Amino acid sequence: MTLTELREKLRPPCPALDIHVHPLGPKRVDSVDEDARQILAAADRAGVEKMCIFLLHPASGEGQLPEPTMDQCREANDYNLQMRERSPDRFIPFCYVNPMYPQESVAEIDRCVEGEQMCGIKLWIARRATDPGLDPILQRSVELGIPVLQHAWDKTTGNLSGEPFPQDVAHLAKRHPEAKIIMAHLNGCGLRGVEHVIDCPNITVDTGGGDPEAGMVDTAVNALGGKRVVFASDLPVRLLGQCLGKTLGANIPEQFVRDILWNNAARLLPEWAGVKPI
Amino acid sequence: MIIDLNAFTGHWPSHPVTGDLNSVRASLHEYGVDRICVSPLEAAWCRNPHRFNEALYRTAGTFPDVYPVPVLDPTVATWKKELERATRELRVKLVRLLPAYSPYALEAADELLEALVAENLAVIIQTRLEDPRRQHQLAQVPDIPAAEIANTAERHPALTVIIGGARTGEIRGLKDRLLASPNLYADVSQCDGLDAIKVLVEEGLTEKLLFGSHAPLFIPYSALSRVVTDLADEDAAAILGDNAERIITW
Amino acid sequence: MKPAELKEKLKPAWPALDVHVHPLDCFGLTKVSSAREDANLLIESARRSGVEKMCLFSLHTTCPREPTVAECIEANDYTLTMRDLEPDVFLPFCYVNPMYPDESAAEIDRCVQGAKMVGIKLWVARRATDPGLDPILEKAVEYNVPVLQHAWIKTTGNLVGESFPADVADLAQRHPKAKIIMAHMNGCGLRGIEDVAHCPNLYLDTSGGDPDSGITETAVAALGPNRVVYGSDAPIRHFGVQLGKTLGTTLPDNVKRDILWNNTARLLPEWAGVDTI
C-alpha cells in the first residue's frame, strides 16, 4: 500500500464534526489568524469539516487556571468569537463560564449566545457538576435549546478538587432532565463512567481526550446506543486522526459511524449553528 | 464428590498461567474433582469487572461440571443489572467479590449482599489473589483481612459467606467467630504449613472448611495434598465436598 | 474419587529427600516440649506425604536475624540432638552467621568435621555479597559440603541482610568450586531464575512460597533437570503442598525423581550415606 493509498483509506467516509476543540491561544501562536490557519490545516488533513471551539482562557493549561474570573471567561469567549470570524463556516464557538459565579455566567451566556449566536456552553473544572452553581447555567441552556459540554474524568491518580466524575454528570443530568448534556472524555471516564450514565438519556458522551484504547467506542455504543456518542478530539491536546480512529477503527455498524462523526452532534446543536444531518 | 469452590479461568498479568477453561478442568479432573466453581481472573484488573462475566457464562455453559462464579462490584453503577443477569444463569450458585481490587470497603457491598439473600445466592469474598511479597512492584494490592469478611457475615446472617484464600493462621484466629456464625465458612486454597488443615480440624473447624484449588494460579496437586494427606477419610471427605454440598443450593 | 484413592494417587512414586526443613522448635505453630516430640511430629507429617529424609537446620528457637555465635552453637546442638534421635531421617546442616567469619569457620569445623553434619546453612544476617561469607564458602569447598543460602525478591522489600538471587549468583561466581543451593524458588520467582541460570554451581530449592503453577518447569528449562532440588521449608510450609511443585508439573518422571532425591543426593557428602536411586 502506498502512502497516498493509506491516507485515502484513513479518511473518514463522511464529513466529521468535532465537538471538542480548543484554539491554540496566545501562548502558542502570535495571532488569531495563525491560530485559525493551523487548526484548519490540521482539520483539512484529517477530514474534519466543522469544529466546536472554546478557549479556556489564554493562561489555562493542564490544571492551570481551574477557577477563572468572569473577566477571564469573557476574554476567552471574545477570542472564540474572533476565531469564528476567521472561518464562520467551520468554527462553532461555545461559551465558557464558571459556576462559581452563576448569575454572571448566565449574563455571559446571554451575551454570547443570544447576542453573538454561540452554539453551546462549556464547563470545565471550577466546580464539580453536583454543585448548585451549575443549576442556573443549565436552566439557561434549556431555555436557549443549546447543549452543555461538561468535562469529566475518573483518574486513578486523583481528580482535581473541582473536577467532575462521571457520576457527578449523571447527577446533573437528573437534576436537569431537559438539558442536553455532553459528557466529555469517554476514555477518561472509562468502563465505569459509561455505566454511570447509561440511565441518563439526556447525556451524550464525546470521544475526545484520553488514549485510543481498543473497544471503548464499541462499549459506549453497546451501552448507550448509537445516538449518544459524538466524535471529539480535544485538539490540540490530542491528534485529530488518532481520535477519529476511535470511531473509524471500532467494530460498530456503519450507520453509527456517520451518526457519531456528524449527525448526533448536528441534532444537539441549535438551528442557528446551520448544521444539517447527513 | 469433590467440589472446588475457588478456581479461576483466564489470564494473569504478572504470572503466565494455562488458564483456558479446558485446561483448568483437565488439571482438576486428574485428581477427581467433580464440580468446579470458576471466576474470570481478568476481572480483578478491569475497571468494570462485570465485562468478563458474559464470556465466562458462554464458555462455562458448554461444561456441565463448571459453575460460573461471576464477579460483582457494588461500586459499578449498574451492579443490579449484572446481578439480574447472573440470576438468569442456571448454574450460578454463588458470586465473588474482589474488594481489594476495585477497591472498596465491604460496607459498600451491604445492599448487594442483601440482594444475594433474596436470590438465594452465596458469596465468596477473596482475601488475596497473590502473596504481596510476589506481586508486581507497580501493582501492589493489600490483603483484605479475613476478620472484615467475618464482620460482613455477621451483618448479613441470612447470607452464606465464604472467606476466600485465607491463610491457616487467619482461619485459626477466627475459630470462635466461625463456630458462632452459622453462615460463615472458609476455603482452604491458600492454607499452608505443617499439618495446616489437621490443625484446623483439631480446633473443631471441619464443618466450616471448604475445598478450593486457586487453579490455575496454584498447582492442583498441592490443593488436594493439602487436604487428604494428613486427615482421616471422613474429615477429608467433608472438606473436599460434603460441606459444599450441604451449604450451597446446587 | 474417594479420599483413600486420592491419597494413593498423590503418593510420590519415589522417596523424597527434603533439602530444607526446620525443627518445630524453630518455626512450629505449636511449641514442642522436647527434641523427641519435635522429631516425632516432623517425621509423622513428612512420611504421610512421602518424605523419607530431611536436611534439617535450626535457626535457633528465637530465630534472631543476626544470631550471636553462642546462639548458632545452641541451634546446631539442637539439630545434632534431633539427628542423634533419628540418624536415618535427619541430615543436619550447620547454621552460621557471616558477621563472625572466623567463629563461623570454627563452628563448621566442630559440626562438619567433628560431628559429621552434611551442609551449611546461611540465612539473613548478611547479604551473600558480603565478604564475611568468603571464609565460610572456603570451608564448604574444603569439606565438600553444600551451602544452602536463603534468598528472595520481595515486592514488599527484602530485610536488610536478606539476599537477592543476584547476590547468590555473585557468591557462586566468587566461589566457583562451591556447591550452593539457593533457597525458595517461588520467592525468587521468574527473575531470580534468570539471575542464576548462568552459575553452574548454583542449585535451586523449591521450598517456601506458594505452589505457583509453572515455576518448576521454568526453572528446569532455564537451569536444566539436575539443578533443581525439592525442599519444603516445613514447618512453615506443608510437605505435600510443596511436593506438588514437582509432582504436579508436566515434567518427565525421571526429572521428578531427580528433583525429589538424586539431585540432592549428589550434592551431599559421602558420609551422609545417601545413594542415588
Side-chain angles (χ1 to χ4, degrees):
Chain A
M1 199 184 286
T2 64
L3 212 46
T4 306
E5 285 167 325
L6 185 56
R7 285 200 178 106
E8 201 45 48
K9 185 177 169 66
L10 293 173
R11 283 192 81 78
C14 61
L17 195 171
D18 186 341
I19 210 157
H20 192 140
V21 173
H22 304 282
L24 298 169
K27 267 180 164 181
R28 286 173 70 160
V29 285
D30 290 334
S31 65
V32 177
D33 285 328
E34 181 58 19
D35 203 331
R37 193 195 66 73
Q38 285 195 30
I39 290 188
L40 289 169
D44 288 340
R45 288 192 297 269
V48 174
E49 266 300 306
K50 290 183 185 282
M51 290 158 272
C52 298
I53 58 159
F54 30 86
L55 185 72
L56 303 183
H57 188 267
S60 70
E62 177 61 32
Q64 293 164 13
L65 203 63
E67 298 176 350
T69 63
M70 284 313 298
D71 276 344
Q72 286 168 329
C73 288
R74 284 187 275 272
E75 205 183 319
N77 290 328
D78 284 345
Y79 194 97
N80 296 333
L81 290 168
Q82 289 175 57
M83 287 287 288
R84 180 179 62 185
E85 278 169 24
R86 299 311 185 272
S87 189
D89 288 340
R90 301 197 60 189
F91 290 135
I92 304 170
F94 275 30
C95 172
Y96 176 47
V97 290
N98 179 348
M100 289 167 67
Y101 313 106
Q103 298 315 314
E104 291 151 76
S105 290
V106 169
E108 177 64 357
I109 291 165
D110 286 345
R111 179 181 83 94
C112 290
V113 177
E114 266 192 328
E116 298 286 357
Q117 306 289 278
M118 280 197 174
C119 300
I121 297 166
K122 167 68 179 171
L123 296 173
W124 195 36
I125 58 172
R127 286 294 180 269
R128 285 174 63 176
T130 42
D131 193 287
L134 276 77
D135 294 335
I137 295 167
L138 273 281
Q139 279 155 17
R140 200 73 185 109
S141 79
V142 171
E143 284 160 10
L144 294 169
I146 56 173
V148 175
L149 199 154
Q150 168 68 70
H151 171 99
W153 204 283
D154 184 358
K155 292 177 179 168
T156 306
T157 44
N159 280 30
L160 299 166
S161 70
E163 189 170 17
F165 293 87
Q167 52 269 40
D168 299 345
V169 185
H171 188 271
L172 181 71
K174 287 176 185 168
R175 294 195 326 266
H176 300 276
E178 289 175 25
K180 294 181 283 188
I181 299 170
I182 304 161
M183 181 169 82
H185 309 316
L186 167 63
N187 294 66
C189 296
L191 297 176
R192 299 171 79 96
V194 169
E195 299 296 311
H196 277 298
V197 304
I198 281 177
D199 63 343
C200 304
N202 57 329
I203 290 182
T204 300
V205 178
D206 97 19
T207 66
D211 289 322
E213 297 152 309
M216 274 310 303
V217 168
D218 316 48
T219 297
V221 166
N222 286 337
L224 308 178
K227 307 269 189 236
R228 286 176 59 196
V229 181
V230 285
F231 163 62
S233 64
D234 203 18
L235 186 79
V237 180
R238 298 286 176 169
L239 272 175
L240 287 171
Q242 179 259 78
C243 290
L244 276 167
K246 296 178 186 177
T247 299
L248 298 175
N251 190 15
I252 54 177
E254 218 171 289
Q255 78 213 57
F256 291 155
V257 171
R258 185 178 299 269
D259 287 346
I260 291 169
L261 291 193
W262 188 274
N263 289 336
N264 295 341
R267 279 189 285 268
L268 288 169
L269 292 169
E271 157 265 322
W272 62 85
V275 179
K276 305 261 181 293
I278 51 172
Chain B
M1 163 88 61
I2 301 180
I3 301 173
D4 184 348
L5 270 178
N6 199 345
F8 297 87
T9 180
H11 300 287
W12 189 247
S14 58
H15 177 69
V17 294
T18 307
D20 65 282
L21 193 48
N22 256 326
S23 298
V24 173
R25 279 178 80 236
S27 72
L28 291 165
H29 283 165
E30 193 184 337
Y31 301 100
V33 177
D34 299 290
R35 282 185 205 155
I36 306 164
C37 299
V38 288
S39 294
L41 271 176
E42 296 94 338
W45 292 107
C46 185
R47 297 293 283 129
N48 179 3
H50 303 161
R51 291 294 303 275
F52 287 93
N53 292 333
E54 192 60 43
L56 176 68
Y57 298 142
R58 277 202 306 275
T59 49
T62 56
F63 304 118
D65 57 327
V66 174
Y67 290 73
V69 181
V71 174
L72 287 190
D73 184 336
T75 67
V76 176
T78 45
W79 68 261
K80 286 181 186 167
K81 197 170 81 168
E82 191 63 23
L83 173 57
E84 191 268 331
R85 172 71 187 89
T87 60
R88 297 203 303 269
E89 290 292 320
L90 281 178
R91 292 207 303 282
V92 169
K93 307 295 175 187
L94 65 159
V95 308
R96 183 185 302 272
L97 299 193
L98 294 172
Y101 285 86
S102 186
Y104 55 88
L106 282 169
E107 286 80 358
D110 282 343
E111 191 187 346
L112 186 159
L113 295 172
E114 278 308 306
L116 295 181
V117 173
E119 300 295 345
N120 199 24
L121 292 171
V123 68
I124 180 165
I125 304 176
Q126 196 70 17
T127 56
R128 63 156 69 156
L129 288 174
E130 50 181 357
D131 185 330
R133 296 172 301 173
R134 299 293 310 131
Q135 290 173 355
H136 193 286
Q137 201 81 21
L138 300 179
Q140 294 181 61
V141 179
D143 292 346
I144 298 289
E148 286 183 19
I149 303 172
N151 295 345
T152 302
E154 285 158 12
R155 287 201 305 281
H156 300 275
L159 177 66
T160 298
V161 176
I162 302 164
I163 304 172
R167 272 64 64 212
T168 308
E170 282 189 292
I171 297 175
R172 203 173 177 207
L174 286 174
K175 168 191 149 183
D176 291 342
R177 296 177 76 181
L178 277 158
L179 293 172
S181 301
N183 62 320
L184 182 63
Y185 301 86
D187 99 283
V188 297
S189 59
Q190 297 193 52
C191 287
D192 211 329
L194 192 85
D195 300 344
I197 314 301
K198 186 160 169 283
V199 158
L200 298 176
V201 164
E202 284 164 1
E203 297 274 14
L205 290 170
T206 309
E207 309 288 302
K208 290 293 189 166
L209 303 175
L210 303 164
F211 173 66
S213 67
H214 207 59
L217 291 166
F218 286 3
I219 298 167
Y221 177 108
S222 297
L224 277 306
S225 179
R226 176 186 290 124
V227 177
V228 305
T229 306
D230 307 314
L231 301 183
D233 284 0
E234 197 182 320
D235 292 326
I239 296 168
L240 286 177
D242 295 348
N243 292 341
E245 281 239 80
R246 191 182 72 246
I247 68 167
I248 305 275
T249 313
W250 299 97
Chain C
M1 203 181 287
K2 304 244 181 325
E5 289 171 85
L6 200 42
K7 269 178 197 158
E8 206 43 50
K9 184 177 171 65
L10 294 173
K11 264 198 192 138
W14 324 272
L17 194 176
D18 191 326
V19 86
H20 194 136
V21 177
H22 305 280
L24 289 165
D25 174 68
C26 206
F27 283 120
L29 265 182
T30 45
K31 274 292 154 214
V32 288
S33 58
S34 65
R36 177 75 264 174
E37 188 189 1
D38 203 331
N40 288 347
L41 289 172
L42 265 181
I43 292 172
E44 274 165 31
S45 190
R47 284 196 175 139
R48 280 195 294 267
S49 289
V51 173
E52 292 293 326
K53 287 187 186 282
M54 292 171 258
C55 296
L56 184 73
F57 31 86
S58 171
L59 305 183
H60 192 265
T61 188
T62 60
C63 303
R65 290 173 191 164
E66 296 179 349
T68 62
V69 173
E71 283 166 338
C72 288
I73 291 171
E74 204 181 314
N76 293 328
D77 282 345
Y78 188 88
T79 306
L80 286 168
T81 303
M82 287 192 62
R83 187 272 307 266
D84 293 342
L85 288 169
E86 297 285 350
D88 290 338
V89 177
F90 293 128
L91 299 158
F93 275 36
C94 173
Y95 176 46
V96 289
N97 178 349
M99 288 167 66
Y100 314 107
D102 294 337
E103 292 93 328
S104 292
E107 178 65 357
I108 293 166
D109 287 338
R110 179 180 84 95
C111 291
V112 176
Q113 192 186 41
K116 297 302 188 204
M117 281 194 166
V118 303
I120 296 165
K121 167 66 178 169
L122 295 171
W123 193 36
V124 299
R126 286 295 180 268
R127 284 170 64 175
T129 42
D130 192 288
L133 275 79
D134 295 334
I136 296 168
L137 274 282
E138 283 157 19
K139 275 291 175 191
V141 172
E142 184 188 328
Y143 291 127
N144 193 28
V145 295
V147 175
L148 200 153
Q149 168 68 62
H150 171 99
W152 203 284
I153 302 177
K154 290 179 180 167
T155 306
T156 44
N158 279 32
L159 299 168
V160 158
E162 190 169 18
S163 301
F164 292 86
D167 300 341
V168 188
D170 181 80
L171 182 72
Q173 286 172 313
R174 294 194 329 264
H175 300 275
K177 295 195 181 154
K179 295 178 285 189
I180 299 169
I181 305 166
M182 181 168 82
H184 308 318
M185 175 183 72
N186 293 63
C188 295
L190 299 176
R191 298 174 80 97
I193 290 169
E194 299 302 314
D195 278 327
V196 305
H198 65 294
C199 306
N201 60 327
L202 208 156
Y203 302 76
L204 195 42
D205 96 19
T206 67
S207 77
D210 290 319
D212 307 311
S213 57
I215 302 263
T216 312
E217 291 96 324
T218 301
V220 167
L223 274 54
N226 297 125
R227 287 174 57 198
V228 179
V229 291
Y230 162 65
S232 65
D233 205 17
I236 301 169
R237 297 286 176 170
H238 187 278
F239 288 109
V241 168
Q242 299 292 309
L243 274 168
K245 294 177 184 178
T246 300
L247 295 173
T249 65
T250 56
L251 295 167
D253 276 356
N254 62 311
V255 174
K256 288 180 185 176
R257 181 202 61 210
D258 287 351
I259 292 172
L260 291 198
W261 190 276
N262 287 337
N263 293 343
T264 304
R266 284 190 278 264
L267 288 172
L268 295 172
E270 155 267 323
W271 61 89
V274 180
D275 295 322
T276 53
I277 54 174

